[in-house]
Amino acid sequence: MGKVVFKRSEGLSKKEFSYCPGCTHGIIHRLVAEVIEELGIIDKTIGISPVGCSVMNYEFFNCDMQQAAHGRAPAVATGIKRVRPDNIVFSYQGDGDLASIGTAEIIHAAHRSENITVIFVNNAIYGMTGGQMAPTTLIGQKTTTSPYGREEKHAGKPIKMSELLATIPGASFIERVSVHDPAHVRKAKKAIKKAFEVQVEGKGFSLVELISTCPVNWGKTPQDALNWAKENMIPYYPLGNFRTPEEDGKND
Amino acid sequence: MAKVMMKGNEAMALAAIKGGCRAFFGYPITPQSELPEYLARHMHKYGGVFLQAESEVAAINMVYGASGAGARVMTSSSSPGIALKQEGISYIAGAELPAVIINVMRGGPGLGGIQPSQADYKQVTRGGGNGDYYVLAFAPENLQETVNIIKESFDLADLYRNPVMIAVDGLIGQMMEPVDLDVEISKKDLPEKTWATTGTDGKRPPVNVNSLFLDAQDLENHSFKLDKKYKLIKENEQRYEFVNMDNPELVIVAYGTMSRIVRSALEILNNEGIKVGLLRPISIWPFPEKAFNELPDSVKGILTCELSTGQMVDDVKIANDGKLPVGFFGRTGGMVPEPEEIVQAVKDMLRGLK
Ligand SMILES: Cc1ncc(C[n+]2csc(CCOP(=O)(O)OP(=O)(O)O)c2C)c(N)n1
Ligand code: SF4
């Protein structure tokens, strides 16, 4: 028999993903699952599902899960982590969830340096509710609630959560990555791994923002969506590390 | 332990610790702030967690998380803060998690005032958040009863896997009374929390704390399952007290601080030879409907007395089922009546009945 070069991660259940074809939520799930498998922490991990397209990811991750109200995942994670400090707790949130209704919760979780890991999926749109404008929607981007394209005068500039959170002293690890091609997927995995390691080492709040796609609501083929993310999102949302525990304190 | 003089809010905090509470998440609001302040000073001595959240919304969601992870957990607030917690309470009820919530009520609507009030009756007893759900709600009238109920509430919450709310008003939170915190509360036979997210430890399949049911049939099944539980709670947990039930002409229904004032009014009336009884709901959800079947034949009418514009009247009418005339006397906005005002209301109602 040949050598196994790729297999389904132990961090995932047998359940088939419910995402649209070409949606990068699936890739991000796999990365998170591989990381908790490789770190040997599946058994003690507790995840928080958001409200959004990934609302049912409690069916996909092979660890204990709690489903949270829209935007409140960081508060739920805080409640869990405070009473079970030896468990590993992560939240998985979309941009509507984290950058709109849940801005207070994410900012204060970072501010307290809750020892949790946040997986922040930025697809610049509300996927689940049918493609409305998000705080992260790009200028000129058409959505069902910005039918003529987002205008700065009307809706403000798209919010840069990683940059914003990196100004908070309690934020230990903040990195923005993308999953639009295999090389970037590998880098994304490294960042996710680092974010979980920061938590394992008790170093406080870690967050990875992932530039993701929503081919269906962007009205694009999966490949065009990947190209669009690369050409339009990354210039506005630059990839890179905004904060690591080693240089903690630089923004104090 | 002997009785000690304690302020209401602090006695409630200590009662929670004695009831096994080991996690508290809250946000300051008058007139309940001494409660979290007490826990901030003492919770760590019991190995527990105290955290001041950034908002009521965050606090109740922290409660959801901690409860889902198996902890005995509490939050407290006052009326506008409870309004903000309703989203989380609905999720807690939907996911069938235990939690204890203290509401030290003040006047509303909106920012209202900070004086004692019972104008949250409907917010407390009608779910308050979205969906088909109820919370067990108790409205004790003095500190000893409050302390006993808080201690028991942690068991009740675990037993029914449901939020339990203690609805007192600012007066009970702020007053001092002698209280024994070590009264034995009968322990319930509680099942293990096999549903809690504690990490699988490689020993069991993953568990999931959740209130989402995308399939309508699944959600209906879940709602009917919850409803069955609520019916069981209605059967088992209706609590009330009768005072002066020796053939009264009229019965007053009043709870909490209002029932204390009614007690003084009853004395005045008694001295004047007017026989009036008191039916005091201790549980306001479930409402003590059973008590109304026990009213003596001498009763010609019911007077509902509240620190609101009459939020409990509907429940009294439903429980009374059209048998007797139902009147109302209330002050609200933080106004607390003198016993004489109730005496007058009783006399007015009796005159109308003749
Ligand atoms: C309190 C509340 N408000 C609104 C909604 C409706 N809602 C569901 S998903 C969603 C947007 C989610 O968008 P995002 O977080 O970007 O995730 P995506 O679907 O794009 O993955 C909204 C507004 C809700 N469920 N709850
Ligand atoms: S709607 Fe968009 S974000 Fe949601 S699953 Fe489909 S492609 Fe993915």
Side-chain angles (χ1 to χ4, degrees), chain B residues 53-97:
Chain B
E54 64 270 30
S55 69
E56 286 86 353
V57 178
I60 193 70
N61 284 285
M62 290 171 187
V63 168
Y64 173 93
S67 175
R72 277 204 156 177
V73 54
M74 180 171 92
T75 187
S76 67
S77 192
S78 180
S79 311
I82 295 292
L84 278 176
K85 287 186 203 283
Q86 297 295 358
E87 172 196 62
I89 296 173
S90 167
Y91 274 74
I92 291 170
E96 293 198 82
L97 297 177

Side-chain angles (χ1 to χ4, degrees), chain A residues 19-20 23 25 53 123 127-128 213-217:
Chain A
Y19 302 107
C20 308
C23 175
H25 264 306
C53 278
N123 58 10
M128 190 190 211
T213 65
C214 179
V216 166
N217 287 301

Side-chain angles (χ1 to χ4, degrees), chain A residues 42-46 64 84 87, chain B residues 196-202 204:
Chain A
I42 299 173
D43 290 356
K44 58 175 187 167
T45 294
I46 303 168
D64 282 1
R84 304 201 65 86
N87 285 86
Chain B
T197 59
T198 55
T200 62
D201 205 14
R204 57 154 173 79

Side-chain angles (χ1 to χ4, degrees), chain A residues 25 51-53 70 94-97 101 123 125-129, chain B residues 87:
Chain A
H25 264 306
V51 162
C53 278
H70 198 24
D95 47 83
D97 198 74
I101 189 169
N123 58 10
I125 204 159
Y126 285 13
M128 190 190 211
T129 40
Chain B
E87 172 196 62

